[in-house]
Amino acid sequence: NHELQKNPDCCPSSAPLLPLDCRWYSVSHLSVQERIDKKRKAALVGGGQKRIDAQHKRGKLTARERVELLLDPNSFVEYDMFVEHRCSDFGMEQDRNKFPGDSVVTGQGRINGRLVYVFSQDFTVFGGSLSGAHAQKICKIMDQAVMVGAPVIGLNDSGGARIQEGVESLAGYADIFLRNVTASGVVPQISLIMGPCAGGAVYSPALTDFTFMVKDTSYLFITGPDVVKSVTNEDVTQEELGGAKTHTAVSGVAHRAFENDIDALLNLRDFFNFLPLSNKDASPVIECHDPSDRLVPGLDTIVPMESTKAYDMLDIIHGIVDERDFFEIMPNYAKNIVVGFARMNGRTVGIVGNQPKVASGCLDINSSVKGARFVRFCDAFNIPIITFVDVPGFLPGTAQEYGGIIRHGAKLLFAFAEATVPKITIITRKAYGGAYDVMSSKHLRGDMNYAWPTAEVAVMGAKGAVQIIFRGKENQAEAEAEYVEKFANPFPAAVRGFVDDIIEPSTTRKRICRDLEVLASKKQVNPWKKHANIPL
Amino acid sequence: MINAHGCCCRFLLKMPGLVFVKESLVSSLPVQSVACTAFMSHFSSTQLVIKTCRKMGIQTVAVHSDVDSSAVHVKMADEAVCVGPAPTGKSYLNMDAIMDAIRSTGAQAVHPGYGFLSENKEFAQRLAAEGVMFVGPDTHAIQAMGDKIQSKLIAKAAGVNTIPGFDGVVKTAEEAVKIAQDIGYPVMIKASAGGGGKGMRIAWNDEETREGFRFSSQEAASSFGDDRLLIEKFIDNPRHIEIQVLADKHGSALWLNERECSIQRRNQKVVEEAPSTFLDPATRRAMGEQAVQLAKAVQYSSAGTVEFLVDSQKNFYFLEMNTRLQVEHPITECITGLDLVQQMIRIAKGYPLQHKQEDIPINGWAIESRVYAEDPYKSFGLPSIGRLSQYQEPLNLSNVRVDSGIQEGSDISIYYDPMISKLVTYGATRAEALAKMEDALDNYVIRGVTHNIPLLREIITHPRFISGDITTNFLPEVYPSGFHGHQLATDSRRELLASAAALYIAAQLRSQRFLLSTIPQERGKWELCVELGKDRHNVEVTRSGNTYTVSLSFSFSLSVEVDAGRVEVSGEWNLASPLLPLTINGTHRMLQCLSREASGEITVQYLGTSFKVRVLSKLAAELDSYMPEKIPEDTSSILRSPMPGTVVAVAVKAGDTVAEGQEICVIEAMKMQNSMTAAKTAKVKSVHCKPGETVGEGDLLVELE
């Protein structure tokens, strides 16, 4: 259905040549207006009704429907509606192959009244493929977003490069990548994958701060199943290779997945509310109905008597944060660490917690990387970090050592040490060995470090320690009891000032809210450097 | 003790469990110290005992198992002793450990509460041997009444009406069938040693008798260590009405009126009231006098309960006598003004009764609802477990008493009875007490475990219950196809949709209120679509007040157009609170927000039942039709555990062919056995559980082909 895209011949060349004739002027004006309207109308239907129907049939919304749902009603201001691709090869120059706006919708708008820049790739136009013009439109809004200090949200639904354009398309990708990188740490960047995203295209989402996916309708991979088959002879479906489940549970590429387009967009609105608009803004504060001095009596009994018994760190987090509202990041990946956003007395905070329920809450390669990236995001955007510690140590074994737990674990250490935002740490139970140091300890410039009465800060568990200290001694049980008495409690750390106080668990919310008020004016600067060299 | 105002202003706590008495703090007090422990369901009784003891100047010692070390009763008592690990056989039923605890603390008396050892004669004997006072009747009375067969013989001899068809001990299934045939169906089968409804089954034919025999004897063995059974004639359409008696050691006895406990599920009480709507003064007196005769016949001393079945002609038959404090005793305290725990302690110490029969009044009406951690949608209540993430009792209301042994953060585990609390309301009239109960249930916040408040609220608002037309078969009669929650009428549906829309708008408006930034123009008109089940409703909301106030709380006044009907909604909400009071068309309602998702999904508790709705903007609702439908899992060929528990028996193995309805395995939870049956005739593909294994709710047990 390309009729709509055909340029009607409304050029005023047939008009009589009467210079300065006001009639001529007005005729021309009318005809331009007509062309404007036609172009606008054409831009609004993208690839045409047939393609829109096909898009809907796949369970996907169109680029414009998505933008409308994401933004506040009537707040979208579109840019570059008239931009067309410039390719003249393979018949692309024909009118029926020109679509006003090309294969992406760009502009700015508001989410709950706050400014955001958006691009939404239009699968109905050449499968959303990236032309030079398409890239240029994206670059334009990114440049402006950085200039004014507002986040960028990309709604990705693209078959890949515009093959007809060859290197121009590749150049377009690189232009976007460069902007993703320069904008990184300046304004939050979020990618929502709402269709295919393959080949070079995957690197733009990978460079952004958060990548979300839509279940069953979105895919991310470097090469598709056909190429995989021809190169490695592996049989794999699109879903297995790069579906939402794969990336949220196995690869850790995506941070969360949602049921469908609507669910994803509404959740994205919710998520956006946690973020500051740029690195110049403080962590946002929203009106809060939850009393900041609320006691949480349930926390006094949450840590089990037996130190080997698990409990759910999420119970602690939900109890402490405002209105039990916790937006978890990567809930299905490296579940031995919990990260996500919440609010304390209305102010956004980043929460990091070891999860005793999974692998005893130990640190391994994946959980270290997951935690490190989250901490760095918070630090970049002035979001205070609250850390709940119950960690038995780093996971031992050849798999971990060969995988490089040393350099990956160092990332989390690096991230916490480097962070200059307010850092509050609560040791709920175990804080053993090097993992104690890593988890936002006092030594890494923790601002307020608390221990619950159940805290045990030690080099290792009693059993292991006794085997080393009292090697060969007969009465191991007695020695163990002595060690427990001496070290399996918060005192060794408290007497040295490594924790600032031992607090009743039920008062934790109150303490944190009060500290955050105090720390809101915290200023801490690292020495000048071009950039640090995090062990990648 | 009796309140002249006719209302129960003093709410006392009492619970099951043991309490040891130690040393009297004030020497003039009648008893020295007491303390003991209880179970989950029994914690509340322990607390009650501790509170009364404290009032009387008695020190208490609570006993507890590992997992209950931080329970409320343990904190309340002056001292606490751990008597073993969670399984009751190793802790609360472990007499050796409890005797050790008594010795080590120097306790002088034990109040057994209403659980575990409260009616155990051996325990009473051992206490007597050590010279420790047992706050309860003498051993011989416990023994006489503890055996259901003997107790009936004694009752008969004492001139108490007994149920026809009464018979003896049963050893095999075939013997059970023969006895049942002799009595004539229907018959009731239960454990001789067990109290309450545990191990009680009704059989209408030989097949059911065999099944009932097997289950009852297993339960009897596991719960009481005594596998004897009792079979008797089952009376159709009976009411369960019991008489509270109080007898001292000097041969005097009183009856403290009746409690009607006809609302039961699986023979366990759910809602109780005092007095009964059914009894006339003559019948009440006749029952009371027979109860007292029985108490005197066994030289009973202490508080006790004589249970009767009453038929539609007001004929009453002796059922059994409970020689302990009962869970539902608070309602008797409400209408009589007596503190039964205090009376028990006085009697144990040898004091004569303080009151005469004519001193015992019926002042007002009291209703008790048993709030259970169970899913009422499955057989009127299958146990559920979890952590009480939020817990708030409706104590802000007057004339409401809540006896519970739990607090926010408590774990409801598979080891004990799933009772959360006893919720008692009181009123000058029955209607007043019922209205108060409705309010109390609406204000009761329980999060983290599934609970039976939806069922309780439906019962107390059901026309049959309100008119007093009830029997012990009330639930299956009223809900023949099972309980499905509150059924919305046109008006209540409209109100629900309007409330959900108001909640959505409140959350939307609040999410724009960033500090230190310009707040966008607040909308005065909303076009929404609210989904409830499969139905969609167009909802138009306009602001009817001048403006919203959102700061600290959201106060609003909205005019809502739902499916061409108009609803006026106003209120003032704290969005952090689970309770959302609002006025709908002039009626005050308490709404509870159970969850609120970014996707527009809102779960609210409305009229007791939780409803899931989805509120979408008009645009989102239009686009929603393009969203792919997710295909749910086929459930007919998989058998999942309906609750957390322990696998007791697995009757099939892979490759077996099972018939529809055939038993596949048995899960035990909270001392109750549940038979899992095949949903269709098929071959067993795989078995995923073993006897003895612990399973969680929703765990895969068996797969069929």
Side-chain angles (χ1 to χ4, degrees):
Chain A
N1 188 354
H2 292 296
E3 282 78 16
L4 280 164
Q5 280 71 54
K6 270 190 192 158
N7 275 342
D9 189 13
C10 49
C11 169
S13 61
S14 57
L17 281 168
L18 295 173
L20 299 175
D21 184 315
C22 58
R23 258 181 67 214
W24 183 87
Y25 177 78
S26 94
V27 165
S28 160
H29 177 73
L30 264 181
S31 78
V32 168
Q33 188 59 49
E34 238 168 66
R35 284 168 64 190
I36 293 169
D37 292 346
K38 275 211 167 127
K39 289 269 184 196
R40 279 202 196 282
K41 227 168 140 188
L44 290 178
V45 290
Q49 195 55 46
K50 246 190 209 153
R51 295 227 163 89
I52 290 174
D53 293 345
Q55 177 83 347
H56 285 158
K57 214 170 223 157
R58 282 186 210 106
K60 302 197 297 182
L61 299 180
T62 66
R64 284 176 190 283
E65 287 164 346
R66 287 166 174 168
V67 169
E68 248 189 294
L69 269 183
L70 175 66
L71 302 178
D72 293 347
N74 307 318
S75 73
F76 183 51
V77 178
E78 185 166 350
Y79 293 5
D80 290 339
M81 211 179 193
F82 298 99
V83 165
E84 288 172 3
H85 74 76
R86 301 175 290 265
C87 180
S88 52
D89 297 320
F90 313 111
M92 289 292 281
E93 71 283 10
Q94 291 167 28
D95 283 348
R96 65 182 175 85
N97 280 334
K98 297 259 180 160
F99 297 84
D102 206 21
S103 50
V104 66
V105 177
T106 60
Q108 39 97 340
R110 305 265 161 179
I111 293 179
N112 287 313
R114 300 195 311 153
L115 182 64
V116 60
Y117 284 80
V118 181
F119 69 86
S120 176
Q121 293 178 318
D122 187 348
F123 196 76
T124 66
V125 178
F126 298 117
S129 61
L130 188 125
S131 63
H134 177 138
Q136 184 195 324
K137 282 180 72 173
I138 293 175
C139 291
K140 187 192 266 182
I141 61 147
M142 290 184 70
D143 289 341
Q144 202 176 69
V146 169
M147 218 150 54
V148 304
V152 179
I153 294 179
L155 307 178
N156 297 62
D157 188 1
S158 161
R162 182 82 50 89
I163 298 171
Q164 293 90 331
E165 290 196 6
V167 73
E168 190 170 348
S169 174
L170 296 184
Y173 276 124
D175 291 342
I176 297 170
F177 297 159
L178 176 67
R179 280 164 181 80
N180 283 139
V181 172
T182 53
S184 181
V186 181
V187 294
Q189 301 180 76
I190 305 162
S191 302
L192 176 54
I193 315 300
M194 308 187 84
C197 183
V202 299
Y203 283 109
S204 176
L207 292 169
T208 60
D209 298 304
F210 295 101
T211 303
F212 299 122
M213 293 181 79
V214 179
K215 286 180 193 167
D216 304 326
T217 49
S218 73
Y219 308 98
L220 272 166
F221 34 65
I222 298 283
T223 49
D226 296 342
V227 181
V228 170
K229 174 78 182 164
S230 69
V231 175
T232 68
N233 207 25
E234 271 177 288
D235 276 311
V236 66
T237 63
Q238 278 200 353
E239 185 62 35
E240 286 165 359
L241 186 61
K245 203 167 170 190
T246 302
H247 286 312
T248 52
V250 183
S251 73
V253 166
H255 295 89
R256 217 165 138 166
F258 301 101
E259 289 306 316
N260 56 43
D261 279 14
I262 293 179
D263 187 40
L265 292 163
L266 294 178
N267 270 287
L268 192 48
R269 280 178 66 85
D270 191 48
F271 173 68
F272 187 79
N273 261 15
F274 285 103
L275 307 180
L277 297 185
S278 77
N279 62 355
K280 299 247 165 55
D281 283 5
S283 192
V285 183
I286 204 162
E287 219 153 60
C288 173
H289 289 187
D290 203 351
S292 63
D293 58 354
R294 172 171 59 86
L295 294 180
V296 194
L299 297 186
D300 287 336
T301 54
I302 195 161
V303 177
M305 293 292 161
E306 308 89 323
S307 71
T308 47
K309 215 172 143 192
Y311 59 93
D312 193 347
M313 189 57 87
L314 284 170
D315 285 339
I316 295 182
I317 296 170
H318 285 140
I320 286 177
V321 302
D322 289 358
E323 298 181 22
R324 310 181 65 78
D325 186 9
F326 178 56
F327 191 98
E328 192 173 349
I329 298 292
M330 303 177 100
N332 294 319
Y333 179 79
K335 292 199 245 182
N336 40 348
I337 200 163
V338 176
V339 302
F341 296 102
R343 296 186 182 89
M344 295 298 286
N345 203 14
R347 177 184 279 110
T348 298
V349 294
I351 306 253
V352 180
N354 306 112
Q355 173 57 286
K357 232 175 71 170
V358 182
S360 302
C362 71
L363 288 175
D364 58 7
I365 293 173
N366 291 346
S367 61
S368 301
V369 174
K370 171 180 167 182
R373 182 150 175 82
F374 181 75
V375 167
R376 295 196 96 211
F377 176 83
C378 292
D379 186 45
F381 291 100
N382 314 317
I383 298 171
I385 300 164
I386 298 172
T387 309
F388 293 97
V389 184
D390 186 350
V391 63
F394 282 97
L395 182 64
T398 49
Q400 290 291 312
E401 295 292 358
Y402 295 175
I405 180 67
I406 296 175
R407 68 194 165 87
H408 293 297
K411 292 176 184 173
L412 185 59
L413 171 59
F414 196 106
F416 270 124
E418 176 194 40
T420 55
V421 289
K423 289 188 284 192
I424 299 173
T425 307
I426 294 95
I427 301 174
T428 61
R429 191 166 61 180
K430 292 173 210 160
Y432 288 168
Y436 153 71
D437 285 338
V438 170
M439 293 302 293
S440 195
S441 63
K442 196 81 199 162
H443 323 287
L444 303 184
R445 302 190 293 186
D447 296 302
M448 293 307 289
N449 292 60
Y450 295 118
W452 283 3
T454 42
E456 309 168 15
V457 185
V459 174
M460 57 175 73
K463 205 166 196 149
V466 166
Q467 277 167 7
I468 295 166
I469 304 174
F470 302 100
R471 195 189 298 273
K473 192 182 166 185
E474 272 174 31
N475 203 341
Q476 294 275 314
E478 194 181 284
E480 206 177 308
E482 187 190 333
Y483 186 91
V484 167
E485 176 67 25
K486 224 175 202 146
F487 291 118
N489 58 58
F491 294 113
V495 295
R496 289 166 176 81
F498 298 161
V499 297
D500 300 296
D501 200 355
I502 302 169
I503 61 171
E504 280 305 306
S506 54
T507 63
T508 308
R509 171 177 167 81
K510 199 170 126 178
R511 302 289 291 241
I512 295 175
C513 286
R514 202 166 63 186
D515 293 338
L516 286 172
E517 287 306 320
V518 171
L519 293 169
S521 56
K522 175 183 175 184
K523 296 244 163 12
Q524 190 170 43
V525 184
N526 288 327
W528 185 91
K529 57 186 92 173
K530 190 171 172 200
H531 62 70
N533 188 15
I534 188 167
L536 292 173
Chain B
M1 294 302 292
I2 296 162
N3 186 324
H5 299 95
C7 72
C8 182
C9 59
R10 218 161 51 89
F11 283 142
L12 302 165
L13 290 177
K14 259 155 260 162
M15 291 276 259
L18 305 172
V19 180
F20 303 158
V21 180
K22 276 188 75 182
E23 213 170 284
S24 141
L25 296 175
V26 185
S27 55
S28 64
L29 281 159
V31 189
Q32 297 180 333
S33 68
V34 178
C36 235
T37 304
F39 299 133
M40 208 56 173
S41 70
H42 303 156
F43 289 157
S44 67
S45 82
T46 309
Q47 280 176 41
L48 291 172
V49 172
I50 293 172
K51 280 199 180 171
T52 298
C53 286
R54 196 172 274 175
K55 235 179 270 171
M56 297 171 78
I58 297 167
Q59 280 190 347
T60 53
V61 181
V63 300
H64 61 88
S65 75
D66 280 357
V67 293
D68 304 323
S69 53
S70 54
V72 182
H73 75 278
V74 176
K75 290 183 187 160
M76 277 177 66
D78 298 306
E79 273 181 66
V81 180
C82 179
V83 288
T88 54
K90 290 181 180 163
S91 51
Y92 299 112
L93 287 172
N94 182 349
M95 272 186 240
D96 290 333
I98 288 171
M99 293 310 295
D100 283 346
I102 292 170
R103 272 178 233 121
S104 70
T105 56
Q108 296 153 2
V110 170
H111 192 297
Y114 23 84
F116 311 99
L117 296 172
S118 61
E119 290 176 296
N120 187 306
K121 58 173 196 275
E122 193 194 330
F123 182 57
Q125 276 164 356
R126 284 182 67 168
L127 289 176
E130 302 246 343
V132 176
M133 188 172 92
F134 179 77
V135 181
D138 295 339
T139 318
H140 73 268
I142 298 180
Q143 190 164 3
M145 293 294 109
D147 186 301
K148 291 195 169 65
I149 297 160
Q150 207 197 338
S151 71
K152 295 216 166 155
L153 296 172
I154 296 171
K156 214 170 189 173
V160 178
N161 305 347
T162 53
I163 297 175
F166 174 70
D167 213 310
V169 174
V170 191
K171 292 218 169 62
T172 68
E174 287 322 303
E175 197 186 335
V177 168
K178 192 177 168 301
I179 294 165
Q181 286 169 346
D182 288 347
I183 298 169
Y185 286 108
V187 296
M188 180 188 286
I189 305 171
K190 65 179 173 181
S192 293
K198 277 190 182 144
M200 199 188 263
R201 279 186 164 73
I202 294 153
W204 297 80
N205 55 44
D206 295 355
E207 187 48 39
E208 287 175 9
T209 306
R210 282 188 201 102
E211 198 186 330
F213 169 79
R214 194 159 45 82
F215 272 111
S216 300
S217 53
Q218 274 172 15
E219 273 190 8
S222 73
S223 291
F224 310 106
D226 177 350
D227 57 359
R228 288 178 310 148
L229 291 184
L230 171 68
I231 302 178
E232 62 186 21
K233 176 81 174 176
F234 171 64
I235 297 173
D236 225 357
N237 286 327
R239 298 174 79 115
H240 177 123
I241 299 178
E242 59 192 28
I243 301 286
Q244 176 74 52
V245 295
L246 204 56
D248 64 17
K249 293 187 171 171
H250 309 282
S252 309
L254 293 171
W255 45 275
L256 307 182
N257 301 314
E258 77 279 9
R259 294 188 286 262
E260 163 131 32
C261 315
S262 297
I263 306 291
Q264 308 185 343
R265 55 119 181 76
R266 293 192 305 272
N267 289 309
Q268 276 187 283
K269 296 160 189 167
V270 181
V271 176
E272 297 112 339
E273 62 183 313
S276 162
T277 53
F278 192 57
L279 294 194
D280 49 54
T283 315
R284 179 174 296 128
R285 167 160 312 124
M287 289 172 75
E289 280 167 359
Q290 286 199 7
V292 163
Q293 276 168 37
L294 178 60
K296 286 181 175 169
V298 292
Q299 284 125 50
Y300 197 83
S301 68
S302 191
T305 301
V306 182
E307 297 188 344
F308 291 98
L309 280 186
V310 183
D311 70 14
S312 53
Q313 306 309 308
K314 294 199 173 76
N315 296 314
F316 55 91
Y317 304 102
F318 172 72
L319 203 57
E320 62 179 339
M321 179 169 188
N322 294 314
T323 57
R324 55 176 157 86
L325 197 61
Q326 275 186 288
V327 172
E328 60 273 23
H329 78 273
I331 54 176
T332 295
E333 295 187 336
C334 281
I335 61 161
T336 61
L338 292 177
D339 177 344
L340 291 180
V341 171
Q342 190 189 11
Q343 297 300 323
M344 283 175 85
I345 295 174
R346 281 180 47 89
I347 292 167
K349 191 69 184 167
Y351 287 80
L353 291 176
Q354 282 174 311
H355 305 89
K356 295 201 177 69
Q357 187 62 51
E358 55 270 28
D359 292 342
I360 307 302
I362 298 182
N363 282 331
W365 215 284
I367 316 261
E368 174 177 292
S369 292
R370 296 196 189 187
V371 182
Y372 284 106
E374 52 181 31
D375 184 349
Y377 298 95
K378 295 176 185 163
S379 334
F380 301 116
L382 284 190
S384 77
I385 58 164
R387 199 184 128 76
L388 283 169
S389 54
Q390 277 179 294
Y391 182 73
Q392 207 174 303
E393 293 171 351
L395 295 173
N396 51 323
L397 304 173
S398 61
N399 284 340
V400 172
R401 159 174 171 174
V402 184
D403 292 349
S404 70
I406 51 161
Q407 56 189 338
E408 191 168 300
S410 289
D411 260 319
I412 307 279
S413 71
I414 58 169
Y415 297 111
Y416 311 125
D417 268 2
M419 200 197 288
I420 294 175
S421 75
K422 302 174 292 178
L423 175 62
V424 179
T425 61
Y426 178 81
T429 62
R430 187 167 185 261
E432 218 174 82
L434 281 175
K436 186 62 79 176
M437 181 60 78
E438 218 177 300
D439 250 14
L441 289 170
D442 284 343
N443 278 277
Y444 206 143
V445 178
I446 304 171
R447 302 283 187 275
V449 291
T450 313
H451 54 78
N452 67 337
I453 283 180
L455 177 64
L456 293 172
R457 200 183 186 286
E458 282 304 291
I459 292 170
I460 59 137
T461 53
H462 195 277
R464 268 190 63 184
F465 182 83
I466 291 171
S467 68
D469 172 21
I470 54 177
T471 73
T472 53
N473 294 322
F474 179 83
L475 290 177
E477 277 169 25
V478 172
Y479 309 105
S481 60
F483 178 66
H484 301 295
H486 182 80
Q487 301 302 305
L488 292 169
T490 314
D491 278 1
S492 50
R493 171 173 293 112
R494 219 172 255 163
E495 288 182 7
L496 168 67
L497 297 171
S499 318
L503 182 52
Y504 172 84
I505 289 169
Q508 289 286 313
L509 287 171
R510 204 261 308 254
S511 64
Q512 324 180 329
R513 312 274 303 191
F514 286 92
L515 265 57
L516 306 174
S517 76
T518 21
I519 289 151
Q521 176 86 39
E522 273 168 355
R523 293 164 71 178
K525 188 166 159 56
W526 301 71
E527 280 179 68
L528 303 173
C529 171
V530 185
E531 266 179 27
L532 173 64
K534 287 203 169 81
D535 299 329
R536 287 186 155 199
H537 306 266
N538 291 320
V539 177
E540 253 186 65
V541 187
T542 37
R543 189 167 63 196
S544 45
N546 283 336
T547 178
Y548 313 102
T549 357
V550 194
S551 182
L552 294 175
S553 65
F554 174 68
S555 79
F556 60 95
S557 166
L558 300 170
S559 182
V560 189
E561 197 82 23
V562 190
D563 302 334
R566 226 163 95 131
V567 184
E568 297 292 333
V569 189
S570 63
E572 190 176 336
W573 289 346
N574 177 325
L575 290 176
S577 163
L579 293 174
L580 304 171
L582 76 172
T583 310
I584 308 176
N585 285 342
T587 312
H588 292 288
R589 289 250 183 256
M590 183 57 81
L591 198 73
Q592 290 197 23
C593 174
L594 305 178
S595 72
R596 206 176 64 218
E597 307 289 338
S599 60
E601 267 176 33
I602 292 176
T603 315
V604 291
Q605 184 178 312
Y606 171 70
L607 300 175
T609 296
S610 73
F611 292 96
K612 198 179 206 171
V613 300
R614 192 157 72 119
V615 188
L616 292 172
S617 67
K618 208 173 157 195
L619 172 71
E622 275 163 18
L623 296 177
D624 195 49
S625 57
Y626 299 126
M627 294 298 101
E629 231 176 281
K630 308 271 163 170
I631 301 139
E633 184 183 50
D634 172 27
T635 51
S636 71
S637 56
I638 40 181
L639 185 70
R640 292 183 183 280
S641 175
M643 64 197 166
T646 314
V647 180
V648 180
V650 181
V652 297
K653 55 184 192 303
D656 288 358
T657 302
V658 291
E660 186 182 329
Q662 188 182 330
E663 180 181 299
I664 289 184
C665 60
V666 178
I667 307 276
E668 184 180 285
M670 286 145 176
K671 297 161 74 193
M672 195 178 81
Q673 298 204 335
N674 296 273
S675 171
M676 305 285 117
T677 55
K680 61 177 185 185
T681 303
K683 217 173 189 181
V684 177
K685 192 172 164 194
S686 53
V687 177
H688 299 269
C689 59
K690 287 196 293 277
E693 228 171 46
T694 310
V695 291
E697 181 174 343
D699 280 7
L700 184 62
L701 300 173
V702 171
E703 242 179 303
L704 303 178
E705 273 177 2

